[in-house]
Amino acid sequence: MKHKPKFYEKHFKRLQDLILASVALVLLSPVLLIVSILVRCKLGSPIIFKQKRPGLDGKIFTLYKFRTMTDQRDCQGNLLSDEERLTSFGKFLRSTSLDELPELINIIEGTLSICGPRPLLVSYLPLYNEHQKRRHEVKPGLTGYAQVHGRNSISWEEKFDLDVYYVDHVTFLGDWKIMLDTLFKVFKREGISSDTSVTMEEFKGSPSPEARIYD
């Protein structure tokens, strides 16, 4: 059954996002400046990594992040693997989630929420089954239910199940719990990588027709 926004989503969630993101942007402006300078010195230009991602109802928007990889290429001009281009500084940005700070602009713009399923690659859209497509029934988030329950250390199917669980259980208290849990996870630097990849393996579709559904 398609998600139907309740009172919190209709009348308060967007205002809460706008206020919290604006305050965070002001308070963290010195951090943003320092990280910008370090990225420019260590990784070069552009400082901001921009990529098209699907948002609410699959509508495409531009996501902003600090770059964490170099542009190193092989002798044929092809980009090297993520593992080879991700520097120790880039790993630090990811493990501390500092690379995500420019997404505060996305939240202020309204293309992103603080809490929601993470926006993934546009190329994944045709690979989702009907259950997994439901993750786009709400606005994507800077953090989400899946991020505080495993992040990149769990399988794609588990992650999507958690995303859909969030879609069906969006609440004010639930969002605040996710935000507080996110701060704890960032502090402990948990779930940054999968067991077999420095980031997360490419999603190639689920091995079964339907993903497992959580109660």
Side-chain angles (χ1 to χ4, degrees), residues 12-62:
F12 190 67
K13 186 173 169 72
R14 170 59 184 153
L15 178 61
Q16 175 177 268
D17 284 343
L18 188 58
I19 293 172
L20 292 178
S22 298
V23 170
L25 195 60
V26 172
L27 294 179
L28 295 173
S29 56
V31 178
L32 284 160
L33 177 60
I34 292 171
V35 174
S36 297
I37 293 171
L38 290 174
V39 170
R40 178 65 180 84
C41 293
K42 293 179 176 292
L43 299 174
S45 295
I47 295 171
I48 300 297
F49 172 74
K50 299 178 182 179
Q51 190 174 56
K52 298 296 182 182
R53 299 286 179 95
L56 178 63
D57 296 324
K59 184 177 180 181
I60 308 302
F61 71 99
T62 301

Side-chain angles (χ1 to χ4, degrees), residues 92-162:
F92 170 76
L93 291 181
R94 292 190 178 199
S95 68
T96 56
S97 294
L98 288 172
D99 64 316
E100 310 280 359
L101 289 181
E103 292 174 37
L104 292 170
I105 300 298
N106 286 116
I107 296 173
I108 293 172
E109 289 178 344
T111 53
L112 205 65
S113 180
I114 292 177
C115 296
R118 284 294 295 163
L120 301 175
L121 300 179
V122 175
S123 60
Y124 291 174
L125 286 174
L127 302 178
Y128 298 137
N129 60 37
E130 291 304 311
H131 172 68
Q132 294 164 350
K133 287 178 183 177
R134 296 199 58 223
R135 68 191 308 277
H136 290 292
E137 292 178 9
V138 298
K139 193 178 292 185
L142 174 65
T143 185
Y145 194 71
Q147 277 57 54
V148 297
H149 289 84
R151 198 173 174 180
N152 288 337
S153 64
I154 58 178
S155 70
W156 281 114
E157 284 70 32
E158 290 173 308
K159 188 179 297 186
F160 295 149
D161 283 349
L162 292 169

Side-chain angles (χ1 to χ4, degrees), residues 195-213:
D195 293 335
T196 58
S197 174
V198 72
T199 52
M200 184 66 185
E201 297 87 352
E202 180 184 359
F203 177 59
K204 298 180 180 179
S206 296
S208 58
E210 295 294 331
R212 183 175 71 257
I213 302 177

